[in-house]
Amino acid sequence: MRNATLLFLIKKSEGKISEVCLAMKKRGFGVGRWNGVGGKLTEGETIEEATIREAQEEIGILAKNINKIAELSFKFPHKPDWDQVVHTYFTEEWEGDPQESEEMNPKWFNIKDIPFSEMWSDDILWLPQVIEGNLLKGEFVFNEGDIIKDHKTEIVKLF
């Protein structure tokens, strides 16, 4: 399985996450869905370097002090070239303002208003847990049509 990255910009209020920046995917894999920013690694690049590069390319910010919150494995038996392990991060620190690009259109959401119905169907199973402060490992198996065939998540102590 290939490695991929995912980054969510967050804002906190009174020590808890209050807002998250999601971006509408405008083309390619995941088009028409809200998600964090991220993608594939280039040759010789670390996961952290890829996370920072993708954020800069997709929404024009320079991410700083990224913190790993989840490691999510996705399997697509009907389309194995989509299989991936997604290294997922939060950051509260970045330079620049999130800007629309050819690929993504960012928008801030209050955590009470996250548009799960317009996201990957697995997001509702793990994103609320990491927003609450848990670190997770997850496995998701998808059938055709974005239907989850099987899944499991477990809280971990460290990455």
Side-chain angles (χ1 to χ4, degrees):
M1 267 199 275
R2 74 172 189 242
N3 286 309
T5 68
L6 189 60
L7 175 68
F8 295 90
L9 279 57
I10 59 169
K11 293 180 182 176
K12 288 186 176 179
S13 176
E14 298 178 10
K16 293 190 173 211
I17 296 173
S18 58
E19 293 180 68
V20 63
C21 183
L22 301 175
M24 175 57 71
K25 183 78 166 159
K26 295 166 52 177
R27 65 179 187 196
F29 188 73
V31 66
R33 295 182 180 167
W34 292 103
N35 205 349
V37 296
K40 302 175 202 164
L41 281 66
T42 60
E43 189 161 338
E45 191 174 44
T46 68
I47 291 166
E48 291 79 10
E49 289 168 342
T51 304
I52 293 166
R53 176 187 51 77
E54 286 283 350
Q56 198 158 26
E57 290 175 1
E58 292 184 346
I59 60 170
I61 60 100
L62 178 59
K64 298 182 172 199
N65 296 321
I66 62 174
N67 297 300
K68 191 167 185 178
I69 53 157
E71 192 170 289
L72 308 170
S73 297
F74 297 99
K75 295 181 183 172
F76 299 84
H78 62 284
K79 195 93 167 156
D81 56 318
W82 288 1
D83 292 356
Q84 56 193 294
V85 176
V86 179
H87 302 268
T88 308
Y89 296 84
F90 279 164
T91 188
E92 297 178 69
E93 297 180 43
W94 61 89
E95 287 181 15
D97 293 321
Q99 301 290 320
E100 184 173 1
S101 68
E102 291 181 12
E103 191 165 348
M104 304 289 274
N105 186 14
K107 180 179 175 184
W108 285 97
F109 290 90
N110 183 294
I111 59 162
K112 296 174 189 156
D113 300 321
I114 294 174
F116 287 110
S117 65
E118 299 173 59
M119 298 171 73
W120 284 97
S121 58
D122 63 275
D123 289 346
I124 199 164
L125 301 172
W126 64 268
L127 188 56
Q129 292 186 65
V130 294
I131 287 172
E132 287 297 316
N134 295 310
L135 303 178
L136 290 183
K137 282 199 176 195
E139 296 178 19
F140 300 88
V141 179
F142 281 86
N143 282 335
E144 290 185 65
D146 193 17
I147 297 168
I148 297 174
K149 177 182 177 184
D150 192 22
H151 78 279
K152 72 176 181 177
T153 59
E154 67 176 304
I155 295 173
V156 296
K157 299 278 187 217
L158 296 171
F159 281 107

